[in-house]
């Protein structure tokens, strides 16, 4: 017995030694950094349900791009033959159901928004739907009419012309509305490359943003920027310093595509301007995009921007009354529902969350963890809350007593969501007094002729493919599998990377579904292999209250340690 005991101790020591050697060989584990506001969110949000986001995205595309649907709400799309900016037709999608300003028979069919159309195309593309050839239409080509050449701005804008701009949508006077279409267009062009005229438009956008960044010279203290006159403007709209994040993102994407060093110089300049801010000026969506760009520049170009500061600015929100006061990420339980993780106003009426922003924020922040892996746990925990709560915007996913139009579930079969989720009703409906939360939308407030069903927002639901592409469930409840590559645009990522977060107080085994025929699975956070040479799905252990960031590699491909990086076939798979 004594000999057996000795043998066991020796074998244990050998295993431990091998483990230590393995860890040492590829570097030390990545210490996780908490985000204080994320730590305020529940580990296990309740009531818990993860809907099938992939099916939701497919259903959305199938319905919205159908010119003769059978659902009671009717058709949501029309052809605009005005041929603004380019000698071709484009298309419009209702911003909200039956918005009285829109459709073929209103405003010459020209009032529609690129933020809606581009989001729908991008989301569908991420789900593998070919929008360059769908029922005879090349929607990716048709969306180019939003490139405003006639105005002299020469960038993608939210409308095709100034004539309809004042009807809504922030055209030419609200900076994020002018920058985000270019972010989305660049992403669309990465998903659908080689579409005729696209590179010409992309180069023009990059040149305009370079000129603008030169003029701004580190000072983004403006409400919007006139890209025709190349002049920053101040209006009654709050200053939007986080537009620098949008400039930086587009210019870095342009650099990765065209390799013009000028674009890299101005990408760094814009992100430096963002990093130099003294406080959060989070306005809508561009700050998270800027944080991702900063993380990527740090990893790939050796810069040293403070990504943690930017992330805290996003989650804690803007606290300066001169900015968009209260805009951040919500934490709390409203009535019986955990709503933590949703993005919107923390302060308006006790809180007002928006679906579009909540989904689009996942687009930059999930891939960010590849470049700044110390935030893997924080982003994983936030996404668990965000994905769970985001379902509440859909009328069939929230109690009848908590929504404005419970009788409209079959109107679009709950394909189109409410625009917002508010702590309390904003319309003073007697039945909703004292009810928390309330699913509703702003559509009826936009114009007196808008019907009540304009609370259902296509503009808000169009990005649903982002969630569909990123989010998968596993065989363990509350442990999600998040695809870190699918929205990492203009990046070289031949190897799948997935983020898992375990909210439990004990380790959990999760079945890892492999993509290749024979693979090795390496944990970027622990710097250890989880499995080697596997040819079928395999169980991996996710530590308690911790994340795992797993990269799937062809079996037998050796890892090369080079300074702080780990490379496979000269391609970085870990930056820290």
């Amino acid at each position: 017995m004594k000999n057996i005991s000795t043998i066991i101790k020796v074998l244990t020591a050998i295993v431990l030694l091998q483990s230590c050697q393995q860890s040492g060989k590829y570097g030390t584990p990545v210490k996780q950094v908490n985000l204080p506001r994320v730590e305020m969110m529940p580990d296990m949000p309740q009531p818990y349900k993860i809907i099938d986001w992939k099916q939701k995205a497919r259903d959305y595309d199938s319905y919205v791009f159908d010119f003769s649907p059978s659902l009671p709400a009717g058709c949501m799309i029309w052809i605009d033959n005005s041929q603004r900016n380019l000698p071709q037709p484009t298309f419009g999608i209702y911003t909200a159901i039956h918005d009285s300003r829109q459709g073929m028979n209103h405003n010459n069919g020209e009032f529609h928004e690129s933020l809606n159309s581009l989001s729908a195309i991008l989301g569908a593309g991420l789900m593998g739907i070919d929008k360059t050839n769908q029922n005879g239409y090349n929607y990716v080509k048709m969306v180019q009419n939003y490139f405003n050449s006639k105005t002299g701005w020469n960038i993608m804008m939210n409308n095709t012309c100034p004539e309809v701009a004042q009807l809504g949508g922030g055209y030419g006077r609200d900076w994020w509305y002018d920058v985000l279409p270019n972010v989305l267009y660049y992403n669309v062009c990465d998903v659908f490359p080689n579409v005729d005229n696209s590179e010409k438009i992309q180069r023009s956008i990059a040149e305009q943003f370079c000129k603008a960044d030169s003029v701004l010279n580190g000072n983004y203290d403006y409400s919007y920027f006139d890209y025709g006159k190349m002049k920053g403007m101040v209006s009654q709209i709050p200053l939007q310093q986080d537009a620098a994040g949008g400039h930086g993102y587009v210019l870095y994407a342009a650099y990765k595509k065209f390799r013009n060093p000028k674009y890299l110089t101005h990408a760094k300049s814009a992100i430096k301007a963002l990093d130099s801010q003294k406080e959060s000026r989070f306005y809508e969506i561009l700050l998270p995009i800027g944080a991702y760009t900063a993380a990527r520049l740090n990893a790939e170009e050796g810069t040293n921007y403070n990504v943690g500061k930017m992330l805290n600015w996003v989650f804690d929100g803007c606290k300066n009354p001169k900015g968009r006061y209260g805009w951040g990420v919500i934490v709390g339980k409203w009535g019986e529902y955990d709503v933590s993780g949703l993005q919107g106003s923390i302060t308006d009426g006790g809180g007002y969350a928006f679906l579009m922003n909540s989904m689009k924020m996942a687009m930059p922040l999930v891939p960010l963890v590849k470049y700044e892996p110390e935030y893997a746990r924080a982003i994983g925990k936030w996404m668990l809350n965000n994905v769970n709560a985001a379902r509440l915007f859909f009328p069939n996913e929230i109690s009848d007593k908590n929504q404005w139009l419970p009788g409209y579930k079959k109107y679009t079969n709950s394909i189109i969501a409410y625009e917002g989720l508010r702590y309390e009703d904003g319309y003073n409906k007697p039945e909703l007094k004292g009810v928390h939360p309330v699913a509703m939308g702003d559509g009826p407030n936009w114009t007196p002729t808008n019907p009540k069903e304009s609370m259902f927002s296509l503009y808000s639901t169009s990005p649903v493919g982002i969630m569909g592409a990123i989010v998968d469930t596993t065989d363990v409840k509350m442990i999600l599998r998040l695809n870190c590559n699918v929205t990492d645009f203009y990046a070289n990522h031949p190897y799948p990377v997935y983020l898992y977060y375990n909210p439990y107080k004990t380790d959990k085994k999760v079945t890892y579904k492999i993509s290749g025929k024979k693979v090795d699975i390496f944990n970027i956070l622990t710097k250890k292999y989880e499995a080697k040479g596997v040819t079928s799905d395999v169980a991996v252990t996710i530590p308690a209250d911790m994340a795992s960031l797993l990269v799937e590699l062809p079996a037998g491909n050796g890892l090369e340690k080079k300074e702080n990086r780990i490379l496979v076939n000269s391609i970085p798979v870990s930056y820290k």
Side-chain angles (χ1 to χ4, degrees), residues 187-239:
N187 293 353
V188 165
C189 289
D190 192 40
V191 176
F192 298 106
N194 305 318
V195 172
D196 182 50
N197 199 44
S198 61
E199 286 197 0
K200 181 180 178 182
I201 290 175
Q202 287 181 275
R203 287 185 186 275
S204 175
I205 293 166
E207 291 296 323
Q208 290 295 87
F209 279 16
C210 276
K211 292 175 187 176
D213 183 68
S214 294
V215 170
L216 291 161
N217 195 27
N219 178 17
Y220 277 72
D221 296 343
Y222 296 101
S223 304
Y224 68 100
F225 191 86
D226 187 320
Y227 292 89
K229 298 177 181 178
M230 284 292 154
K231 183 179 179 181
M233 309 293 283
V234 175
S235 68
Q236 78 282 1
I237 292 173
L239 306 183

Side-chain angles (χ1 to χ4, degrees), residues 73 76 94-102 352 404-405 408 411-412 416-420 427 439-461:
M76 296 292 124
Y94 279 102
T95 298
I97 291 182
H98 299 160
D99 189 317
S100 61
R101 305 163 297 175
Q102 296 182 311
Y352 197 177
W404 235 88
L405 298 171
Y408 277 66
Y411 200 52
T412 68
I416 311 300
Y418 287 100
E419 177 188 10
Y427 293 95
M440 50 168 283
D442 288 335
N445 287 330
W446 295 337
T447 176
T449 55
N450 263 3
K452 58 187 178 182
E453 61 264 29
S454 63
M455 287 191 178
F456 296 116
S457 171
L458 290 92
Y459 173 95
S460 302
T461 318

Side-chain angles (χ1 to χ4, degrees), residues 69-345:
S70 58
L71 290 174
C75 185
M76 296 292 124
I77 189 172
W78 67 95
I79 298 298
D80 173 2
N81 283 304
S82 302
Q83 301 196 17
R84 296 280 186 174
N85 301 305
L86 289 171
Q88 64 175 27
T90 187
F91 67 98
I93 298 173
Y94 279 102
T95 298
I97 291 182
H98 299 160
D99 189 317
S100 61
R101 305 163 297 175
Q102 296 182 311
M104 287 188 66
N105 299 321
H106 299 95
N107 295 299
N108 198 35
E110 293 188 85
F111 182 40
H112 40 81
E113 301 188 61
S114 74
L115 290 184
N116 193 9
S117 301
L118 285 165
S119 295
I121 291 172
L122 177 62
L126 292 174
M127 291 303 302
I129 299 168
D130 186 1
K131 303 300 287 187
T132 66
N133 184 16
Q134 188 177 37
N135 300 321
Y137 292 102
N138 184 341
Y139 291 108
V140 183
K141 182 72 172 66
M142 293 169 75
V143 84
Q144 293 177 359
N145 290 62
Y146 289 106
F147 178 73
N148 276 228
S149 57
K150 297 294 176 64
T151 62
W153 282 42
N154 292 314
I155 61 172
M156 295 292 284
M157 297 186 72
N158 195 38
N159 305 113
T160 58
C161 62
E163 285 79 357
V164 296
Q166 299 306 312
L167 294 171
Y171 179 100
R173 65 186 189 279
D174 196 348
W175 208 348
W176 81 274
Y177 268 108
D178 298 326
V179 174
L180 185 58
N182 299 279
V183 170
L184 295 175
Y185 185 68
Y186 256 80
N187 293 353
V188 165
C189 289
D190 192 40
V191 176
F192 298 106
N194 305 318
V195 172
D196 182 50
N197 199 44
S198 61
E199 286 197 0
K200 181 180 178 182
I201 290 175
Q202 287 181 275
R203 287 185 186 275
S204 175
I205 293 166
E207 291 296 323
Q208 290 295 87
F209 279 16
C210 276
K211 292 175 187 176
D213 183 68
S214 294
V215 170
L216 291 161
N217 195 27
N219 178 17
Y220 277 72
D221 296 343
Y222 296 101
S223 304
Y224 68 100
F225 191 86
D226 187 320
Y227 292 89
K229 298 177 181 178
M230 284 292 154
K231 183 179 179 181
M233 309 293 283
V234 175
S235 68
Q236 78 282 1
I237 292 173
L239 306 183
Q240 299 182 36
Q241 290 89 343
D242 67 346
H247 271 183
Y249 176 86
V250 168
L251 288 168
Y252 192 53
Y255 168 69
K256 299 297 282 189
K257 179 173 179 62
F258 299 115
R259 290 295 170 180
N260 186 331
K262 175 176 68 174
Y263 299 156
L264 176 60
T265 297
H266 284 284
K268 291 179 178 179
S269 170
I271 298 303
K272 181 181 178 182
L274 182 66
D275 192 41
S276 298
Q277 294 296 318
K278 303 302 181 186
E279 60 185 353
S280 175
R281 287 302 180 93
F282 190 17
Y283 191 83
E284 190 83 24
I285 190 60
L286 297 177
L287 182 55
I289 291 169
Y292 159 83
T293 309
R296 197 164 164 193
L297 284 168
N298 285 351
E300 295 181 336
E301 301 296 332
T303 54
N304 192 32
Y305 304 117
N306 192 335
V307 174
K309 175 181 67 177
M310 295 181 194
L311 290 173
N312 281 312
W313 282 350
V314 169
F315 283 92
D316 294 342
C318 178
K319 298 178 181 179
N320 191 320
K322 293 182 179 179
R324 192 171 187 180
Y325 178 74
W327 194 265
V329 177
I330 290 165
V331 172
K333 194 177 187 75
W334 295 351
E336 64 187 72
Y337 295 101
D338 279 322
V339 295
S340 292
L342 299 175
Q343 193 209 129
S345 175

Side-chain angles (χ1 to χ4, degrees), residues 357-373:
N357 307 74
S358 302
M359 293 194 293
K360 280 186 177 173
M361 201 165 98
M363 181 173 65
L365 293 194
V366 171
L368 176 147
V369 303
K370 296 198 303 182
Y371 305 103
E372 297 272 352

